[in-house]
Amino acid sequence: QVQLVEYGGGLVQAGGSLRLSCAASRSIFTFNAMSWYRQAPGKERELVARITSGGSTNYADSVKGRFTISRDSALHLQMNSLKPEDTAVYYCNGEDVMRENYWGQGTQVTVSS
């Protein structure tokens, strides 16, 4: 079973920054695409940012200009100018060549006002 593990979440004040990372049990370059999702209580899980194996990225409108997805040996999400509405559990997702999706356990991000 492919394992993804997120880390870097925590508590931050509004306007602050956090950097999330996601490590995989195999090279992230074996995934066709990797994404960050988030889910707040009472809300559906939503796509935050996505990066393809070719380096193309896309972002939810709510985070454009504030969040940056990137990869090296791991997947990262740099989150700047955080807002209370960014509070959620953030999940790493990987899509492999067989179109199977793998999920991390999630990491909590809490932004205080």
Side-chain angles (χ1 to χ4, degrees), residues 13-34:
Q13 292 184 335
S17 298
L18 284 173
R19 185 175 187 249
L20 305 183
S21 297
C22 173
S25 59
R26 72 188 197 196
S27 172
I28 66 168
F29 298 103
T30 64
F31 294 101
N32 280 357
M34 298 195 76

Side-chain angles (χ1 to χ4, degrees), residues 4-112:
L4 302 175
V5 179
E6 306 95 336
Y7 54 96
L11 175 65
V12 65
Q13 292 184 335
S17 298
L18 284 173
R19 185 175 187 249
L20 305 183
S21 297
C22 173
S25 59
R26 72 188 197 196
S27 172
I28 66 168
F29 298 103
T30 64
F31 294 101
N32 280 357
M34 298 195 76
S35 302
W36 289 98
Y37 286 75
R38 68 186 181 188
Q39 187 168 25
K43 296 186 179 295
E44 293 187 344
R45 188 171 299 186
E46 65 172 341
L47 176 67
V48 176
R50 185 174 186 264
I51 185 167
T52 69
S53 59
S56 297
T57 60
N58 63 274
Y59 299 89
D61 287 343
S62 60
V63 307
K64 286 180 179 177
R66 300 188 298 120
F67 290 10
T68 303
I69 189 170
S70 64
R71 66 185 186 194
D72 41 43
S73 58
L75 181 73
H76 307 282
L77 184 69
Q78 179 65 45
M79 305 185 294
N80 298 327
S81 301
L82 283 162
K83 304 175 181 179
E85 50 263 44
D86 294 319
T87 296
V89 177
Y90 284 71
Y91 297 91
C92 177
N93 170 269
E95 178 186 346
D96 68 18
V97 295
M98 300 302 296
R99 301 297 186 265
E100 295 184 5
N101 284 276
Y102 302 90
W103 296 90
Q105 82 292 339
T107 186
Q108 177 71 48
V109 172
T110 302
V111 184
S112 62

